[in-house]
Amino acid sequence: MITRRQSLALLGGTAAGLALAACGTKPERKDVVFATQKNGVPFLAETRGEFAKRLQARGIGPVKWVEFASGPPLIEAIRAGAVDIGLVGDTPVAYAQAAGTDLFYVAAQSFPGLVGSGLLVPSKSSVTTLAQLKGKKIAYTKGSAAEFALAAALKQVGLGLGDIAVANLAPGDAQTALANGSVDAWVVWDPFFTLAQIRGGAREVPLPASGINTTAFYIASGAFTRERTDVLRAALDELRAEANWGNANRLYYRDQVAKATRLPPTVLDGMLARYKDFLFRVDPVTPDVIANQQKVSDYLFDAGVLPKKVDAAKAAWTGWKPAP
């Protein structure tokens, strides 16, 4: 039999539970969810396993990994709260800002010129310049870095996205479309760029330079940046350490990408050579980086693909100073 005192205790416990629920109390998260693709520092960090161990030694973790094929779905995962940190190109960040997504770019890796994406045509195509593709169907992943690379290159030859027929396709579908002749050209990034040349016989057509740097951004959700700032700083420190290791051990990285993409290691040597000393970087967000991103956003707005102008500085987080 439950006594009156026990009943009151039970009621008190229930009331306390309801009060906690009403206040939205939830267990404090310990895990960190990273997004990966088949390249870059996060890929290296996941493959080696040392990154997660170093974070664990700092009392952070467990680390979880989720793979994506491109930047737009990665951004959606951050928007949904399914991912904390990821690496994307400059274009997905501009789109996210225009959509009001609560995220920040928290570190950067800048490349001189547009080395991040390239233009491919079928091997039997007569096209040798971008200008010859006026009115033709070009595939790319809308919202990805490839879109900006194409928009910027078209501007250099007096054209815009409105002067071509756009085929918004994910990399796997675009590769098939190029191979069967459903599209006239394809703009994409590595390793898909190299993969299409080796397996599909695609041929590169040079993209005119725009004078704007290609930037890969480490992005974090707004909630993660604001509420777990110390964890974010520690993660960036360890990503920077991973980048330094990767620059000194390119063969390991090459072999892991080869295994993931089934590309011959010798082919990847050519791909990696394009990046020279810029293979891996995890650097703080600087005024120069913000200014470059503003140019990217303005290009996309002028091209008619962003619904509104954005202030790149509002998405910049400058609260990290690398550990010595």
Side-chain angles (χ1 to χ4, degrees), residues 206-256:
L207 285 173
S210 68
I212 297 178
N213 286 347
T214 296
T215 305
F217 284 114
Y218 297 85
I219 58 172
S221 70
F224 187 80
T225 305
R226 290 185 296 268
E227 299 167 12
R228 304 181 69 189
T229 307
D230 289 343
V231 174
L232 174 58
R233 290 192 180 107
L236 293 175
D237 282 341
E238 297 302 344
L239 283 171
R240 188 176 173 91
E242 194 72 18
N244 291 336
W245 188 94
N247 285 327
N249 296 272
R250 285 192 174 206
L251 290 182
Y252 176 90
Y253 175 74
R254 179 202 68 181
D255 292 344
Q256 294 306 310

Coordinates of all heavy atoms in Angstrom, one line a residue, residues 206-256:
P206 N 39.4 24.4 -70.8 CA 39.8 25.4 -69.8 C 38.8 26.5 -69.5 O 38.1 26.9 -70.4 CB 41.1 26.1 -70.4 CG 41.6 25.1 -71.4 CD 40.3 24.4 -72.0
L207 N 38.6 26.8 -68.2 CA 37.7 27.8 -67.8 C 38.5 29.1 -67.7 O 39.6 29.2 -67.1 CB 37.1 27.5 -66.4 CG 36.0 26.4 -66.4 CD1 35.6 26.1 -65.0 CD2 34.8 26.9 -67.2
P208 N 38.0 30.2 -68.3 CA 38.7 31.5 -68.1 C 38.8 31.9 -66.7 O 37.9 31.7 -65.9 CB 37.8 32.5 -68.9 CG 37.0 31.6 -69.8 CD 36.8 30.3 -69.1
A209 N 39.9 32.5 -66.3 CA 40.1 32.9 -64.9 C 39.4 34.2 -64.6 O 39.2 35.0 -65.4 CB 41.6 33.1 -64.6
S210 N 38.9 34.2 -63.3 CA 38.1 35.4 -62.9 C 38.9 36.3 -62.0 O 38.4 37.4 -61.7 CB 36.8 34.9 -62.2 OG 37.2 34.3 -61.0
G211 N 40.0 35.8 -61.5 CA 40.8 36.6 -60.5 C 40.3 36.5 -59.1 O 40.8 37.2 -58.2
I212 N 39.3 35.7 -58.9 CA 38.8 35.4 -57.5 C 39.3 34.1 -57.0 O 39.2 33.1 -57.7 CB 37.2 35.4 -57.5 CG1 36.7 36.8 -57.9 CG2 36.7 35.1 -56.1 CD1 35.2 36.9 -58.0
N213 N 39.7 34.0 -55.8 CA 40.2 32.8 -55.2 C 39.1 31.8 -55.0 O 38.0 32.2 -54.6 CB 40.9 33.1 -53.9 CG 42.3 33.7 -54.1 OD1 42.8 33.7 -55.2 ND2 42.9 34.2 -53.0
T214 N 39.4 30.5 -55.1 CA 38.5 29.5 -54.7 C 38.7 29.2 -53.2 O 39.9 29.1 -52.8 CB 38.8 28.2 -55.5 OG1 38.5 28.4 -56.9 CG2 37.9 27.1 -55.0
T215 N 37.6 29.2 -52.5 CA 37.8 29.0 -51.0 C 36.9 27.8 -50.6 O 35.7 27.7 -50.9 CB 37.4 30.2 -50.2 OG1 38.2 31.3 -50.7 CG2 37.6 30.1 -48.8
A216 N 37.5 26.9 -49.8 CA 36.7 25.9 -49.1 C 36.6 26.4 -47.7 O 37.5 26.8 -47.0 CB 37.5 24.6 -49.2
F217 N 35.3 26.3 -47.2 CA 35.0 26.8 -45.9 C 34.7 25.6 -44.9 O 33.9 24.7 -45.2 CB 33.8 27.7 -45.9 CG 34.1 29.1 -46.4 CD1 33.6 29.5 -47.6 CD2 35.0 29.9 -45.7 CE1 33.9 30.8 -48.1 CE2 35.3 31.2 -46.2 CZ 34.7 31.6 -47.4
Y218 N 35.3 25.7 -43.7 CA 34.8 24.9 -42.6 C 33.6 25.6 -42.0 O 33.8 26.8 -41.5 CB 35.9 24.6 -41.6 CG 37.1 23.9 -42.2 CD1 38.1 24.6 -42.9 CD2 37.2 22.5 -42.1 CE1 39.2 23.9 -43.5 CE2 38.3 21.8 -42.7 CZ 39.2 22.5 -43.4 OH 40.3 21.9 -44.0
I219 N 32.5 25.0 -42.0 CA 31.3 25.7 -41.5 C 30.7 24.9 -40.3 O 31.0 23.7 -40.2 CB 30.2 25.7 -42.6 CG1 29.8 24.3 -43.1 CG2 30.6 26.6 -43.8 CD1 28.6 24.3 -44.0
A220 N 30.1 25.6 -39.4 CA 29.5 25.0 -38.2 C 28.1 25.6 -38.0 O 27.8 26.8 -38.4 CB 30.4 25.3 -37.0
S221 N 27.2 24.9 -37.5 CA 25.9 25.4 -37.2 C 25.9 26.5 -36.2 O 26.9 26.6 -35.4 CB 25.0 24.2 -36.6 OG 25.4 23.9 -35.3
G222 N 25.0 27.4 -36.3 CA 24.9 28.5 -35.4 C 24.9 28.1 -33.9 O 25.6 28.6 -33.1
A223 N 24.0 27.1 -33.6 CA 23.9 26.6 -32.3 C 25.2 26.0 -31.7 O 25.6 26.3 -30.6 CB 22.8 25.5 -32.2
F224 N 25.9 25.3 -32.6 CA 27.2 24.7 -32.2 C 28.2 25.8 -31.9 O 29.0 25.7 -30.9 CB 27.7 23.7 -33.2 CG 28.9 22.9 -32.9 CD1 28.8 21.8 -32.0 CD2 30.2 23.3 -33.3 CE1 29.9 21.1 -31.7 CE2 31.3 22.6 -32.9 CZ 31.2 21.5 -32.1
T225 N 28.3 26.8 -32.8 CA 29.2 27.9 -32.6 C 29.0 28.7 -31.4 O 29.9 29.0 -30.7 CB 29.2 28.8 -33.9 OG1 29.3 28.0 -35.1 CG2 30.2 29.8 -33.8
R226 N 27.7 28.9 -31.1 CA 27.4 29.8 -29.9 C 27.5 29.0 -28.6 O 28.0 29.5 -27.6 CB 26.0 30.3 -30.1 CG 25.9 31.4 -31.1 CD 24.5 32.0 -31.1 NE 23.5 31.1 -31.5 CZ 23.0 30.8 -32.7 NH1 23.5 31.5 -33.7 NH2 22.1 29.9 -32.9
E227 N 27.0 27.7 -28.6 CA 26.8 27.0 -27.3 C 28.0 26.1 -27.0 O 28.2 25.7 -25.8 CB 25.6 26.1 -27.4 CG 24.3 27.0 -27.6 CD 23.1 26.1 -28.0 OE1 23.2 24.9 -27.9 OE2 22.1 26.7 -28.4
R228 N 28.8 25.7 -28.0 CA 30.0 24.8 -27.7 C 31.2 25.4 -28.3 O 32.0 24.8 -29.0 CB 29.7 23.4 -28.3 CG 28.3 22.9 -27.8 CD 28.1 21.5 -28.3 NE 29.0 20.5 -27.8 CZ 29.1 19.2 -28.3 NH1 28.3 18.8 -29.3 NH2 29.9 18.4 -27.7
T229 N 31.5 26.7 -28.0 CA 32.6 27.4 -28.6 C 33.9 26.8 -28.3 O 34.8 26.7 -29.2 CB 32.6 28.9 -28.2 OG1 31.3 29.4 -28.4 CG2 33.6 29.7 -28.9
D230 N 34.1 26.3 -27.1 CA 35.4 25.7 -26.7 C 35.6 24.4 -27.5 O 36.8 24.2 -27.9 CB 35.4 25.5 -25.2 CG 35.6 26.7 -24.4 OD1 35.9 27.8 -25.0 OD2 35.3 26.7 -23.2
V231 N 34.6 23.7 -27.7 CA 34.7 22.4 -28.5 C 35.0 22.8 -29.9 O 35.9 22.1 -30.6 CB 33.4 21.6 -28.4 CG1 33.5 20.4 -29.3 CG2 33.1 21.2 -27.0
L232 N 34.4 23.8 -30.5 CA 34.7 24.2 -31.8 C 36.2 24.6 -32.0 O 36.8 24.2 -32.9 CB 33.8 25.4 -32.2 CG 34.0 26.1 -33.6 CD1 34.0 25.0 -34.7 CD2 33.1 27.2 -33.8
R233 N 36.7 25.4 -31.1 CA 38.1 25.8 -31.1 C 39.0 24.6 -31.1 O 40.0 24.6 -31.8 CB 38.4 26.8 -30.0 CG 37.7 28.2 -30.2 CD 38.3 29.2 -29.2 NE 37.7 30.5 -29.3 CZ 36.8 31.0 -28.4 NH1 36.5 30.3 -27.3 NH2 36.3 32.2 -28.6
A234 N 38.7 23.7 -30.2 CA 39.5 22.5 -30.1 C 39.5 21.7 -31.4 O 40.5 21.2 -31.8 CB 39.1 21.7 -28.9
A235 N 38.3 21.6 -32.0 CA 38.2 20.8 -33.2 C 39.0 21.5 -34.3 O 39.6 20.8 -35.1 CB 36.7 20.7 -33.6
L236 N 38.9 22.8 -34.4 CA 39.7 23.5 -35.4 C 41.2 23.3 -35.2 O 42.0 23.2 -36.2 CB 39.3 25.0 -35.5 CG 37.9 25.2 -35.9 CD1 37.6 26.7 -35.8 CD2 37.7 24.8 -37.4
D237 N 41.6 23.4 -34.0 CA 43.1 23.1 -33.7 C 43.5 21.8 -34.2 O 44.6 21.6 -34.8 CB 43.3 23.2 -32.1 CG 43.4 24.6 -31.6 OD1 43.6 25.6 -32.4 OD2 43.2 24.8 -30.4
E238 N 42.7 20.8 -33.9 CA 43.0 19.4 -34.3 C 42.9 19.2 -35.8 O 43.6 18.4 -36.4 CB 42.2 18.4 -33.5 CG 42.4 18.4 -32.0 CD 43.8 18.2 -31.6 OE1 44.6 17.7 -32.4 OE2 44.2 18.4 -30.4
L239 N 41.9 19.9 -36.4 CA 41.8 19.8 -37.9 C 43.1 20.4 -38.5 O 43.6 19.9 -39.5 CB 40.6 20.5 -38.4 CG 39.3 19.8 -38.2 CD1 38.1 20.7 -38.6 CD2 39.2 18.5 -39.1
R240 N 43.6 21.5 -37.9 CA 44.8 22.2 -38.5 C 46.0 21.2 -38.3 O 46.8 21.1 -39.2 CB 45.0 23.5 -37.7 CG 46.1 24.3 -38.3 CD 46.2 25.6 -37.5 NE 47.3 26.5 -37.8 CZ 47.4 27.4 -38.8 NH1 46.3 27.6 -39.5 NH2 48.4 28.1 -39.0
A241 N 46.0 20.5 -37.2 CA 47.1 19.6 -37.0 C 47.0 18.4 -38.0 O 48.0 17.9 -38.5 CB 47.1 19.0 -35.6
E242 N 45.8 18.0 -38.3 CA 45.6 16.9 -39.3 C 46.0 17.4 -40.7 O 46.6 16.7 -41.4 CB 44.1 16.6 -39.3 CG 43.8 15.3 -40.0 CD 44.3 14.0 -39.2 OE1 44.5 14.1 -38.0 OE2 44.4 13.0 -39.9
A243 N 45.7 18.7 -41.0 CA 46.1 19.2 -42.3 C 47.6 19.2 -42.4 O 48.2 18.9 -43.5 CB 45.6 20.7 -42.4
N244 N 48.3 19.6 -41.3 CA 49.8 19.6 -41.4 C 50.3 18.2 -41.6 O 51.3 18.0 -42.4 CB 50.3 20.2 -40.1 CG 50.1 21.7 -40.0 OD1 49.8 22.4 -41.0 ND2 50.0 22.2 -38.7
W245 N 49.7 17.2 -41.0 CA 50.2 15.9 -41.1 C 49.9 15.4 -42.6 O 50.7 14.8 -43.2 CB 49.4 14.9 -40.2 CG 49.9 13.5 -40.2 CD1 50.9 13.0 -39.3 CD2 49.6 12.5 -41.1 NE1 51.1 11.7 -39.7 CE2 50.3 11.3 -40.7 CE3 48.7 12.4 -42.2 CZ2 50.2 10.1 -41.4 CZ3 48.6 11.2 -42.9 CH2 49.4 10.0 -42.5
G246 N 48.8 15.8 -43.1 CA 48.4 15.4 -44.5 C 49.4 16.0 -45.5 O 49.7 15.4 -46.5
N247 N 49.8 17.3 -45.3 CA 50.7 17.9 -46.2 C 52.1 17.2 -46.3 O 52.8 17.2 -47.3 CB 50.9 19.4 -45.9 CG 49.7 20.2 -46.3 OD1 49.0 19.9 -47.2 ND2 49.4 21.2 -45.5
A248 N 52.4 16.6 -45.1 CA 53.7 15.9 -45.0 C 53.6 14.4 -45.4 O 54.6 13.7 -45.5 CB 54.2 16.0 -43.6
N249 N 52.4 14.0 -45.7 CA 52.1 12.5 -46.0 C 51.1 12.4 -47.1 O 50.1 11.7 -47.0 CB 51.6 11.8 -44.7 CG 52.6 11.8 -43.6 OD1 53.5 10.9 -43.5 ND2 52.6 12.8 -42.7
R250 N 51.4 13.0 -48.2 CA 50.5 13.1 -49.4 C 50.2 11.7 -49.9 O 49.1 11.4 -50.4 CB 51.1 13.9 -50.5 CG 51.0 15.4 -50.2 CD 51.3 16.2 -51.5 NE 51.0 17.6 -51.3 CZ 50.7 18.4 -52.3 NH1 50.6 18.0 -53.5 NH2 50.5 19.7 -52.1
L251 N 51.2 10.8 -49.9 CA 51.0 9.4 -50.4 C 49.9 8.7 -49.6 O 49.2 7.9 -50.2 CB 52.3 8.7 -50.4 CG 53.4 9.2 -51.4 CD1 54.6 8.3 -51.3 CD2 52.9 9.2 -52.8
Y252 N 49.9 8.9 -48.3 CA 48.9 8.2 -47.5 C 47.5 8.7 -48.0 O 46.6 7.9 -48.2 CB 49.1 8.5 -46.0 CG 47.9 7.9 -45.2 CD1 48.0 6.6 -44.7 CD2 46.8 8.7 -44.9 CE1 47.0 6.1 -43.9 CE2 45.8 8.2 -44.2 CZ 45.9 6.9 -43.7 OH 44.8 6.3 -42.9
Y253 N 47.4 10.0 -48.1 CA 46.1 10.6 -48.5 C 45.7 10.1 -49.9 O 44.6 9.8 -50.2 CB 46.2 12.1 -48.5 CG 45.0 12.9 -49.0 CD1 43.8 12.9 -48.3 CD2 45.0 13.5 -50.3 CE1 42.7 13.6 -48.8 CE2 43.9 14.1 -50.8 CZ 42.8 14.2 -50.0 OH 41.6 14.8 -50.5
R254 N 46.7 10.2 -50.8 CA 46.4 9.7 -52.2 C 45.9 8.3 -52.2 O 44.9 8.0 -52.9 CB 47.7 9.8 -53.0 CG 47.6 9.3 -54.4 CD 48.9 8.9 -55.0 NE 49.5 7.7 -54.4 CZ 50.6 7.1 -54.7 NH1 51.4 7.6 -55.6 NH2 51.0 6.0 -54.0
D255 N 46.5 7.4 -51.4 CA 46.1 6.0 -51.4 C 44.7 5.8 -50.8 O 44.0 5.0 -51.3 CB 47.1 5.2 -50.6 CG 48.5 5.1 -51.4 OD1 48.5 5.4 -52.6 OD2 49.5 4.7 -50.7
Q256 N 44.4 6.6 -49.8 CA 43.1 6.5 -49.2 C 42.0 7.0 -50.2 O 40.9 6.5 -50.3 CB 43.0 7.3 -47.9 CG 43.9 6.7 -46.8 CD 43.6 5.3 -46.6 OE1 42.5 4.8 -46.4 NE2 44.7 4.5 -46.6

